[in-house]
Amino acid sequence: MENLAPLHTFGIAAKAKKVEKITALEQLMPIWQQCRQADIPVLFLGQGSNVLFIEDFNGTVLLNRLKGIEHRQDDDFHYLHVAGGENWHELVCWTLDHHIGGLENMALIPGCAGSAPIQNIGAYGVEFKDFCDYVEMLDLNNGEQFRLNNAQCGFGYRESVFKHQYRDGYLITAVGLKLRKHWRPVLKYGSLANFDADKVSPQQIFAEVCAVRNSKLPAPEQFGNAGSFFKNPVVSAADFNLLQQEYPTIPNFPQADGTVKLAAGWLIDQCGLKGYQIGGAAVHQQQALVLINRHNASASDVIELAHHIRQCVAIKFNVYLQPEVRFIGAAGEVDSEKTIM
């Protein structure tokens, strides 16, 4: 058995039967076929920034370490072909170093490029789907490579086809990004609204996002965590109107379909749960949306804490939180919401 604690940012004690680093696609098929023939579960892991191992994994973990960034351009756009194992934040830095704007709002999101489409990662009013040109896949059942264009990816809020029909037996090997040369800042959220849209630069937005995230989010080296633990819930307009009558200052973000997105961190904070601890797991003092491994937390500590938070928010607001973090059991991913009910 091999130790998984250093391979995921929560740092929860867990083991796997075997861990392999994938640095070239040629390595994949033989390992995959061997595991299939022996009926051994396989888990693909990037940098482990959005997972919670709820028990030991009874199979082989394959670490995506595919590297490379290719750049081309035309009169209107920059086009990037990014290998799946590239670090996301380092990619954002690379674009700014090459005077390419667009990704700066998503600075310091942990994880790798190949994981970005799965969750449709996003921050400060910008999502991966806004710049996705294509996602390159490998079908492990037959060794064929293919691409899905943006529309085929089924992107939604923390949602995509990669959580469903392309979840098992497929690997995201690369992503294609399309970044407009005529850059326009997105300044809708938080302190970014204080900037002048006509004067601000991508580098200034990047610096502000980094400063805010660093002030609120603990580094995994300090306290193990998986970033935002819960999704921001989306409610109907009617339900929101009832909530707003009782809580006039409730933060809200109207959606194009008429629904309203709420701030999960605010809901948790209103329940007085900052700093609340069960076993070695706790709600972070600076950001209620982040659960931390405060002191040798077990997976059951985190699950029990998440259950308590979900119940408190449901009782106070009649809103049920869903985990954003992926839960991994002995044979693979399990239903995180059912796990914390």
Side-chain angles (χ1 to χ4, degrees):
M1 300 291 280
E2 299 196 40
N3 184 19
L4 292 172
L7 299 177
H8 68 116
T9 57
F10 236 128
I12 300 288
K15 294 180 179 178
K17 280 192 172 179
K18 196 173 185 181
V19 176
E20 299 261 13
K21 285 185 183 180
I22 302 299
T23 57
L25 281 180
E26 296 73 40
Q27 294 173 262
L28 263 177
M29 292 306 294
I31 297 172
W32 174 263
Q33 289 166 353
Q34 188 179 7
C35 291
R36 291 292 91 182
Q37 288 164 6
D39 200 26
I40 296 170
V42 175
L43 175 70
F44 289 103
L45 201 61
Q47 289 164 355
S49 59
N50 195 49
V51 297
L52 173 67
F53 286 96
I54 63 172
E55 56 190 327
D56 290 341
F57 182 65
N58 194 30
T60 298
V61 173
L62 300 181
L63 303 176
N64 187 342
R65 298 296 182 259
L66 301 170
K67 298 289 187 177
I69 301 173
E70 298 169 18
H71 173 222
R72 64 182 179 86
Q73 57 187 305
D74 59 24
D75 290 343
D76 299 314
F77 293 95
H78 293 282
Y79 301 90
L80 302 180
H81 180 85
V82 185
E86 288 286 345
N87 177 278
W88 178 262
H89 178 68
E90 290 175 10
L91 170 64
V92 175
C93 294
W94 186 97
T95 61
L96 294 175
D97 288 344
H98 289 77
H99 308 289
I100 302 171
L103 302 183
E104 57 282 340
N105 292 50
M106 294 193 284
L108 280 182
I109 294 180
C112 61
S115 303
I118 300 172
Q119 288 288 101
N120 183 27
I121 61 170
Y124 295 96
V126 173
E127 291 181 317
F128 177 83
K129 70 176 178 62
D130 300 331
F131 304 100
C132 177
D133 193 15
Y134 58 82
V135 174
E136 200 159 274
M137 307 280 295
L138 175 66
D139 185 338
L140 292 157
N141 300 298
N142 56 27
E144 290 181 5
Q145 283 188 268
F146 63 97
R147 286 183 178 181
L148 298 180
N149 63 33
N150 188 306
Q152 292 171 315
C153 292
F155 290 126
Y157 173 58
R158 302 295 176 267
E159 185 60 79
S160 70
V161 294
F162 310 108
K163 287 187 169 185
H164 305 287
Q165 61 261 50
Y166 294 111
R167 190 180 83 168
D168 300 316
Y170 298 89
L171 175 68
I172 295 173
T173 58
V175 298
L177 302 178
K178 185 177 179 180
L179 297 154
R180 192 180 295 276
K181 285 188 171 179
H182 181 59
W183 173 79
R184 300 187 191 100
V186 177
L187 305 172
K188 294 184 285 188
Y189 281 70
S191 56
L192 296 185
N194 298 327
F195 284 116
D196 184 334
D198 296 324
K199 296 178 181 178
V200 71
S201 69
Q203 288 78 9
Q204 287 174 303
I205 293 174
F206 172 86
E208 178 66 14
V209 168
C210 288
V212 172
R213 289 185 73 98
N214 283 327
S215 71
K216 290 183 176 181
L217 304 176
E221 305 80 52
Q222 179 190 13
F223 294 116
N225 71 90
S228 299
F229 193 89
F230 294 100
K231 297 177 185 178
N232 287 322
V234 178
V235 300
S236 69
D239 287 344
F240 171 70
N241 289 335
L242 291 174
L243 284 168
Q244 195 175 40
Q245 287 172 25
E246 193 167 353
Y247 306 98
T249 62
I250 186 170
N252 62 93
F253 308 95
Q255 304 297 293
D257 62 359
T259 59
V260 180
K261 186 187 293 182
L262 307 177
W266 185 88
L267 300 175
I268 298 167
D269 194 10
Q270 294 303 301
C271 294
L273 291 171
K274 276 185 179 174
Y276 187 86
Q277 186 165 341
I278 292 179
V283 180
H284 188 46
Q285 285 281 9
Q286 272 68 51
Q287 170 54 272
L289 195 51
V290 176
L291 307 191
I292 61 172
N293 179 355
R294 191 168 200 161
H295 183 68
N296 296 326
S298 66
S300 59
D301 291 341
V302 179
I303 291 168
E304 195 176 338
L305 179 60
H307 168 78
H308 179 74
I309 293 166
R310 177 181 160 93
Q311 293 300 106
C312 289
V313 171
I315 291 166
K316 189 174 180 70
F317 297 103
N318 197 30
V319 172
Y320 288 87
L321 297 181
Q322 297 175 308
E324 181 174 322
V325 174
R326 299 169 64 200
F327 286 19
I328 309 298
E333 188 166 358
V334 301
D335 188 317
S336 58
E337 187 174 14
K338 285 183 180 175
T339 306
I340 67 166
M341 279 182 176

